[in-house]
Structure formats: structure tokens, C-alpha cells
Amino acid sequence: MRVFVTGASGWIGSAVVPELIGAGHQVVGLARSDDAAERLGAAGAEVRLGTIDDLDVLRRTAADADGVIHLAFKHDLAFTGDFAGATAADRAAIEAFGDALAGTDRPFVIASGLLGVAPGRVATEVDGVSVADDAAGPSMRHRNGHLTVALAERGVRSSVLRLPPTVHGDGDNGFVAALVAIARATGVAGYVGDGSHRWPATHRTDAARAFRLALEKAPAGSTLHAAAEQGVRIRDVAEAMGRHLGVPVQAVSPEDAPAHFTWLAPLIGTDSPASSTATRALLGWQPTGPGLLEDLDRGHYFA
Ligand SMILES: NC(=O)c1ccc[n+]([C@@H]2O[C@H](COP(=O)([O-])OP(=O)(O)OC[C@H]3O[C@@H](n4cnc5c(N)ncnc54)[C@H](OP(=O)(O)O)[C@@H]3O)[C@@H](O)[C@H]2O)c1
């Protein structure tokens, strides 16, 4: 397939591109800078210059492709307080892709998140996420997942791949890397309460394979979970960080969490395990990468 990938130069995207090419697909990657264009070209992808706000570029490139994987997200806005702006841009891009792909039955896969899908119990693929009208923060993004699933009614083979907050691996710039940076800066590897909260986890290479399999196989309107591990206790993560950084492992009270964990404070205390049983059965996805604790013990997060 000729596959248009947004966010192809990002951390997960740069694993998705070789995964697709290795399976015999052609990749057209969206690049918003010369540096990203150069890296995409070196990886064997064709480059389309533009940003996710260039809706005409998105529509035209999608119309020329056999499928689309949408990974770009304005993390720069989201992590500096404008989550609404980031999700609005994402929505506009998804609408543009929907217009380009309507009636084609071509695959359209987007990235979403597993954190908070069903707090306190194991989330499954059938769990919907209702988003309050006045929602702020990461939960707002689930509306874009609903929009994507609904594109199935317009003749798009759409699917939403929910990722663990802890997609991990060398070069990670996400949640685990942020927790390591906080432990380093504060001199404490912290957890909230008794640290029994669980987060699912997946190695980056397994996430990349899940995107390829979703593109190739997911039925229209699917919600999928790329959770290799159902739930890793946050206290175990803190203990691994404490060991590697040589800092004490300590409970942080909910009152002190905002000062200690900054933007991660509302998330770190969320118990959010997730199953991927249905996704494995549907796609034949079989994770092979290291688990999160094993990956932490490889040392690259602390180099
Ligand atoms: N990593 C995780 O643990 C995790 C967990 C849940 C969900 N996700 C989602 O998975 C997707 C990929 O995540 P990631 O970890 O690979 O993130 P990342 O490394 O920050 O990559 C984001 C990508 O989006 C591109 N981008 C940002 N703003 C753009 C704009 N205005 N126009 C065009 N492209 C733009 C970036 O381009 P540049 O390369 O030019 O910067 C980059 O290629 C995202 O949707 C993310 O929210 C990730």
C-alpha cells in the first residue's frame, strides 16, 4: 500500500516508517521542517512538506494514498496548557482525512490514549469514553476518537489505536522520560499514595507493529488497544528509577503531587490498566519487546 503517515518524523512515527517499509509498503511522510524531511528521506519515505493545519495538503495527499496513519499531534501546545488548541487542530485534520477518504473503504488509523479509559478497572476495547462538555486536558482527545470511529458510516475503514501512556524505549520523550526527569530534578523517585496504581505499557517497536496491523487488517470503526503489559505498578517504576538514579523512593501525598509532578500530577495517581485481548485476536498482534521494568533496567533512560 502507499501509506500517508503524519507524525512520521516523531518518536513513534520513526518506528512506524521502517515497520511499514519492511512489510513492503510505500510511505509518504508529512514533514514540517527541513530536518524532518531529511530524516524521512533517509528512512526511505517520500516527503510531503506541510503542517497538520495545511488541510488541503492533507486532503490531497490522502486522496492519492491507499491508507493513512495519523500520528501528528501538537504536543508543544498540549503540554504548555493549550490542550483545547491541540485537540481542535487534531479534529480539523481528522475531518479533512474523513472528507478525502469517504466512500473509499480505505484504512485510516489514528493514535489515541489508554490513560483514564476505565479508571480503577481493566479497560477493554469495548469501553467507550464519555467526555463531559466542559472537559479539559487529555480526556478531550477521546472526542476525536469518536469522530474517527464514526467515519466508518461514511465508508472509511477507520480505526483508533489506544496507546499506553508508557510507550517506552530508547529515545523516549514521553511520560516515562518525564518521570525520570522529575526524579532527577527533585532528588526523589516519587509515587502517589501507596503507589499501587497501574499503567499499561508497550515497547515502541510493538506499538509500531500494531499500527501496521491495524492499517492492514482492522475492520471499519474498530477501537484497538496496543497494551503489551496490562498494568505495571507505578511504585515498581519509581523503585527502578530510584535504583538507577541513586535517589530515595518516596510516597508523595496527593496535596504535594502538583508541586512534585507538575503537569503529570493529575495523571500519575490514575489506576488505568488495560487489556488487549480482543486486539491480539483481531490483528494477530503479538508483542515481543521488553517489558517496561526490563527496559528501565537496560539503563538508557538514565544515561
Ligand atoms: N509516546 C507515548 O507514550 C504516547 C502515548 C499515547 C499517545 N501517543 C500519541 O501517539 C502519537 C505519536 O506520539 P510520539 O510519542 O511519536 O510523539 P512525538 O515524538 O512528539 O511526535 C509527534 C509528531 O507530530 C509532529 N507534529 C507536531 N506538531 C505538528 C504540526 N503542527 N504539523 C505537523 N506535524 C506536527 C511532530 O513533527 P516534528 O518531528 O517536526 O516535531 C512529530 O513528528 C501522538 O499522537 C501521541 O499523542 C503517544
Side-chain angles (χ1 to χ4, degrees):
M1 273 187 239
R2 183 176 161 82
V3 189
F4 181 32
V5 182
T6 72
S9 54
W11 187 62
I12 293 173
S14 53
V16 169
V17 171
E19 173 68 32
L20 290 169
I21 291 175
H25 300 292
Q26 271 176 278
V27 174
V28 183
L30 183 71
R32 60 173 171 159
S33 69
D34 292 343
D35 174 55
E38 203 171 303
R39 282 186 285 126
L40 284 180
E46 196 181 308
V47 175
R48 192 65 77 251
L49 284 174
T51 76
I52 52 167
D53 300 318
D54 294 327
L55 301 181
D56 282 341
V57 173
L58 302 190
R59 276 189 213 98
R60 270 189 274 118
T61 315
D64 282 346
D66 301 306
V68 175
I69 297 179
H70 175 45
L71 302 173
F73 193 72
K74 293 187 176 183
H75 290 137
D76 50 350
L77 286 191
F79 296 144
T80 52
D82 187 10
F83 215 96
T87 51
D90 189 47
R91 184 177 187 89
I94 291 168
E95 284 169 348
F97 285 131
D99 291 343
L101 298 174
T104 65
D105 288 325
R106 289 186 198 150
F108 173 51
V109 189
I110 72 156
S112 184
L114 278 168
L115 200 59
V117 167
R121 66 169 174 81
V122 178
T124 72
E125 291 85 342
V126 296
D127 279 311
V129 186
S130 56
V131 186
D133 287 345
D134 60 350
S139 69
M140 297 170 72
R141 195 169 172 186
H142 288 295
R143 287 199 195 105
N144 295 352
H146 303 160
L147 175 67
T148 302
V149 165
L151 288 174
E153 288 158 27
R154 294 178 60 200
V156 182
R157 185 158 66 77
S158 59
S159 58
V160 176
L161 186 62
R162 291 176 182 158
L163 298 170
T166 40
V167 177
H168 57 91
D170 209 354
D172 181 8
N173 55 7
F175 289 75
V176 181
L179 283 173
V180 172
I182 290 167
R184 220 189 272 280
T186 60
V188 168
Y191 55 85
V192 171
D194 65 359
S196 62
H197 313 97
R198 298 155 295 169
W199 281 8
T202 297
H203 191 264
R204 180 170 76 131
T205 51
D206 288 320
R209 190 154 7 89
F211 277 107
R212 172 176 66 78
L213 291 169
L215 175 93
E216 293 173 348
K217 296 185 182 180
S222 308
T223 297
L224 306 160
H225 284 187
E229 294 180 277
Q230 179 169 294
V232 182
R233 283 195 328 155
I234 293 297
R235 182 166 181 164
D236 295 333
V237 173
E239 280 171 0
M241 291 181 183
R243 217 170 36 244
H244 283 274
L245 293 172
V247 299
V249 181
Q250 284 175 13
V252 176
S253 70
E255 298 73 42
D256 292 338
H260 187 88
F261 291 106
T262 64
W263 63 271
L264 273 170
L267 310 172
I268 189 73
T270 307
D271 185 40
S272 200
S275 153
S276 58
T277 306
T279 300
R280 291 176 196 229
L282 192 67
L283 303 183
W285 180 61
Q286 194 52 52
T288 58
L292 174 58
L293 298 178
E294 185 189 340
D295 206 12
L296 286 168
D297 279 341
R298 290 182 173 189
H300 52 83
Y301 277 99
F302 312 100

